[in-house]
RNA sequence: GGUCUCGUAGCUCAAUUGGAUAGAGCAUCUGACUACGGAUCAGAAGGUUUGGGGUUCGAAUCCCUACGAGACCGCCA
């Protein structure tokens, strides 16, 4: 049982025995702030009505009770209404003796719950940019965290492989492409298709401009332009199964998949299951028909199908166009059904940007209106956009930070810094290249994941990502440093539990102890940021101890063993934490 | 127009979900290698938590209000 839980139960017992009353809610225990003596703090203010005594007396009563009741409580102090509880060194050393060699420390027991995490979910009309990287890293990391905290996790990727946007790229390629392919142009497939998406937009805009200068109003011009009409026709042909259209569609999507695959591989993200909208949208259409028959939806005279969500505080929402083609949300209804049919998961997490908050509210409501049992398990993990100093990234306008370019840049930066520091003797060329990639990606991944997912994130391409301070490379460096210590360490084992700890040792053990609750909290909040910030606290505590105390050269065997155990355990936990973030832990750097 | 986010040191972020004197990193300044890795450590400086009001033992956190930033409300995805 965790120390917090024992303290909570002890406090409940204290109220029962000292004040003969129950606590109305579960008492809250928090970590004691650094400037005060103690490890855990209980705030008594909310309980004064129960104790009928002043804050100091109440805290004193409970402190005294806990000290007698729990053998690991070595003392306490009271400041105003704050009871600071001190945990004895014996407890901490025992904890270290028991866990120092456990490479799975912090891994929770199986919860017997299945959760699907859908992330990445790219459109096949443009290459990945920094915003997609945030999505990919978040999704991967959240999935890893959930798995470590005991859930059975399925990583899913829903490819948006159909729709009007794809038709735009296809049309532009058919009109202006002259048969260009990734092979003939030497371009990565996703970049090539993205190029035609931009070309479409350019040509479309200039056509609108012409129509407007010819006296047409803008809105009408947007609908009347021949290019958009052709694109819409192409979509209809696609839905009708036109052979030539499908052939080009398959070919161009194939180019994109190859491009994506290499980026996924490079980033180290993976998936258990791929879904394709082209396979699910018909199911969605079917669900729409069923909803229509059930009376959950209604049809207008022009044939379009809608749901009335005004009773839920929202608006009317279109589910199928008057021409019979499906819209974005239609396929989401189908995909949700397909996912559930296959996996029967307890929860279904969608890692999607907060610009789609409304969309997911609507989706969940639609599923409820359709009477789907799995509607309540739908959870939109809504994350903030990555903004540039100039504002939002826009693929069509070319103001994006391209994923592949950025990874190359960080690789180069990491190479430069590593060479300056000159600590890589004995590395082969291949190992060096791998190391630069690991460090560059460590910097990027940590940079993106240390921020609360819900918050928007600012990226300034002019300011390079740091490699010092609260960064990925700093955590990686500490890992490499400990690895170096362990390589030259003598054999060691458990120590006497009655010795006393120095402040630096104690702080480090306390940090290690908190890993379990960091994992639990990160899983509950679905926030890798909690793991990143934890890892930073941990390595800071280690570096401090490393600097203040000798380890291998310590003459006292008990002390030396203690510090070696601390080093070994820190190394394990750092590696695990980095792993949960998708960051590599190099042995040397 | 309606709905929803957000506003913390010059910059990028924390703050155990209502607790103590709001903490880190970067940048700036100062100090520490004949130590097991200096991508490190120690220190200085930097704040009316956007302004104003309220709720209570206690507010960056909850409520109201003003200002500022952003997103969504498409027969786009």
């Amino acid at each position: 049982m965790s120390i917090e839980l024992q303290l909570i139960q002890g406090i409940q017992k204290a109220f029962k025995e000292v004040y003969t009353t129950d606590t109305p809610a579960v008492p809250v225990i928090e970590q004691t702030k650094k400037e005060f003596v103690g490890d855990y703090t209980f705030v008594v203010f909310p309980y004064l009505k129960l104790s009928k005594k002043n804050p100091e007396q109440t805290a004193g009563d409970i402190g005294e009770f806990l000290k007698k009741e729990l053998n690991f409580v070595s003392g306490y102090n009271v400041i105003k209404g704050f009871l600071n509880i001190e945990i004895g060194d014996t407890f901490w050393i025992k904890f270290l003796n028991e866990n120092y060699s456990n490479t799975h420390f912090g891994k929770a027991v199986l919860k017997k719950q299945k959760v699907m995490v859908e992330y990445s979910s790219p459109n096949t009309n443009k290459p990945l940019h920094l915003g997609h990287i945030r999505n990919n890293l978040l999704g991967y990391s959240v999935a890893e965290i959930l798995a470590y905290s005991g859930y059975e996790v399925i990583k899913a990727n829903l490819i948006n492989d159909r729709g009007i946007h794809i038709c735009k790229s296809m049309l532009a390629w058919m009109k202006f492409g002259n048969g260009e392919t990734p092979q003939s142009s030497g371009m990565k497939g996703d970049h090539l298709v993205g190029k035609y998406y931009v070309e479409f937009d350019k040509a479309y805009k200039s056509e609108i401009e012409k129509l407007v200068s010819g006296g047409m109003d803008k809105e009408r011009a947007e609908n009347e332009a021949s290019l958009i009409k052709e694109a819409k026709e192409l979509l209809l042909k696609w839905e009708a199964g036109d052979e030539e259209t499908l052939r080009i569609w398959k070919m161009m999507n194939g180019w994109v998949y190859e491009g994506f695959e290499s980026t996924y591989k490079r980033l180290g993200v993976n998936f258990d299951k791929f879904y394709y909208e082209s396979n699910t949208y018909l199911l969605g259409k079917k669900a729409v028909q069923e909803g229509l028959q059930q009376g959950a939806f209604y049809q207008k005279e022009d044939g379009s199908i809608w749901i009335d969500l005004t009773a839920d505080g929202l608006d009317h929402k279109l589910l199928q166009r008057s021409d019979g083609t499906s819209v974005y949300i239609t396929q989401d209804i189908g995909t949700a059904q397909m996912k559930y049919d296959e996996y029967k998961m307890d929860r279904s997490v969608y890692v999607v940007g907060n610009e789609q908050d409304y969309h997911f509210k609507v989706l969940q409501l639609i599923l409820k209106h359709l009477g789907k049992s799995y509607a309540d398990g739908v959870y939109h993990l809504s994350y903030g956009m990555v903004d540039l100093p100039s504002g939002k990234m826009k693929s069509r306008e070319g103001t994006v930070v391209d994923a592949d370019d950025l990874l190359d840049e960080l690789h180069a930066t990491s190479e430069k810094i590593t060479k300056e520091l000159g600590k890589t003797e004995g590395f082969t060329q291949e190992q060096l290249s791998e190391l630069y990639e690991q460090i560059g990606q460590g910097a990027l991944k940590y940079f993106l994941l240390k921020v609360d997912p819900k918050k928007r994130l600012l990226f300034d391409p002019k300011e390079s990502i740091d490699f010092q301070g609260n960064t990925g490379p700093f955590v990686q460096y500490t890992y490499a440093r400990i690895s170096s210590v362990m390589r030259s360490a003598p054999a060691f084992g458990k120590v006497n539990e009655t010795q006393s700890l120095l402040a630096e040792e104690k702080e480090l053990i306390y940090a290690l102890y908190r890993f379990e609750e960091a994992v639990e909290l990160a899983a509950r909040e679905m926030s890798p940021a909690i793991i990143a910030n934890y890892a930073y606290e941990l390595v800071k505590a280690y570096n401090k101890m490393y600097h203040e105390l000798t380890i291998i050269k310590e003459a006292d065997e008990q002390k030396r063993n203690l510090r070696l155990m601390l080093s070994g355990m820190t190394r394990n936990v750092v590696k695990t934490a980095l792993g949960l973030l998708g960051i590599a832990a190099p042995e040397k750097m």
Side-chain angles (χ1 to χ4, degrees), chain A residues 84-146:
Chain A
N84 297 318
I85 302 158
E86 297 156 32
I87 308 300
D89 288 350
T90 305
F91 173 86
W92 297 119
I93 297 172
K94 193 167 174 232
F95 163 75
L96 187 62
N97 273 338
E98 283 167 5
N99 294 288
Y100 78 96
S101 61
N102 178 4
T103 52
H104 297 291
F105 175 70
K107 189 175 173 107
V109 293
L110 285 180
K111 289 186 165 70
K112 291 185 182 160
Q113 275 203 43
K114 220 187 263 186
V115 41
M116 175 177 279
V117 179
E118 181 202 297
Y119 69 102
S120 199
S121 302
N123 291 337
T124 55
N125 63 331
K126 54 198 166 205
L128 303 175
H129 61 61
L130 182 55
H132 300 115
I133 297 187
R134 186 179 200 193
N135 179 302
N136 279 280
L137 299 182
L138 259 179
Y140 176 83
S141 179
V142 164
E144 292 295 310
I145 290 167
L146 288 172

Side-chain angles (χ1 to χ4, degrees), chain A residues 295-495:
Chain A
F297 309 148
Y298 68 94
Q299 190 158 30
K300 284 190 181 174
E301 278 180 15
D302 63 5
S304 59
I305 300 175
W306 298 73
I307 183 169
D308 178 1
L309 294 172
T310 49
D312 301 290
L314 303 178
D315 214 332
H316 294 255
K317 179 80 184 174
L318 177 86
L319 301 177
Q320 188 171 304
R321 295 190 188 97
S322 51
D323 66 6
T325 57
S326 65
V327 292
Y328 180 49
I329 203 152
T330 318
Q331 49 239 11
D332 270 348
I333 298 168
T335 311
Q337 183 68 49
M338 194 180 254
K339 285 172 168 179
Y340 186 74
D341 287 345
E342 187 170 0
Y343 291 102
K344 300 276 188 293
M345 61 278 192
D346 301 280
R347 299 183 77 188
S348 187
V349 178
Y350 292 77
V351 183
V352 178
N354 63 12
E355 57 191 355
Q356 293 193 33
D357 285 354
Y358 184 82
H359 173 81
F360 277 98
K361 241 187 242 175
V362 170
L363 176 64
Q364 189 161 32
L365 280 169
I366 290 173
L367 294 175
K368 273 189 190 167
H369 280 262
L370 284 172
K372 300 296 183 189
S373 61
Y374 52 83
D376 288 328
V378 167
Y379 179 77
H380 175 206
L381 176 49
S382 163
Y383 66 89
M385 299 285 102
V386 180
D387 288 331
L388 303 173
S390 57
K392 203 182 168 186
M393 285 188 273
K394 293 198 173 97
S395 300
R396 275 179 296 192
E397 291 167 23
T399 57
V400 294
V401 177
D402 180 75
D404 298 308
D405 291 350
L406 184 62
L407 287 170
D408 288 343
E409 245 171 70
L410 283 157
H411 184 102
T413 307
S414 132
E415 174 169 0
K416 183 167 162 277
I417 294 175
T418 306
K419 278 183 175 160
E420 277 167 13
L421 292 170
K423 296 188 211 170
T424 49
E425 265 178 53
F427 276 65
T428 66
Q429 206 52 46
E430 212 170 300
Q431 288 169 328
L432 279 175
S433 175
E434 189 189 0
L435 179 70
Y436 302 150
E437 188 67 19
Q438 287 178 342
I439 298 173
Q441 285 204 22
L444 176 66
K445 289 176 173 175
Y446 190 93
F447 175 82
L448 293 175
L449 290 176
K450 77 169 176 180
V451 182
D452 183 340
K454 291 194 283 294
K455 295 200 172 180
R456 68 189 268 267
L457 197 147
L458 193 78
F459 178 80
D460 189 345
K462 288 198 292 291
E463 283 180 42
S464 51
I465 292 176
D466 279 320
F467 283 62
Q468 287 175 354
N470 187 358
T471 67
F474 173 48
V475 181
Q476 289 173 311
Y477 167 76
T478 308
Y479 179 82
R481 184 186 228 184
I482 301 173
S483 298
S484 169
V485 171
M486 300 314 281
R487 277 194 294 272
S488 48
F492 63 97
K494 297 183 181 184
V495 298

Side-chain angles (χ1 to χ4, degrees), chain A residues 524-535:
Chain A
R524 197 166 64 228
E525 307 266 316
M526 298 198 198
S527 170
I530 289 164
I531 298 295
N533 287 315
Y534 167 82

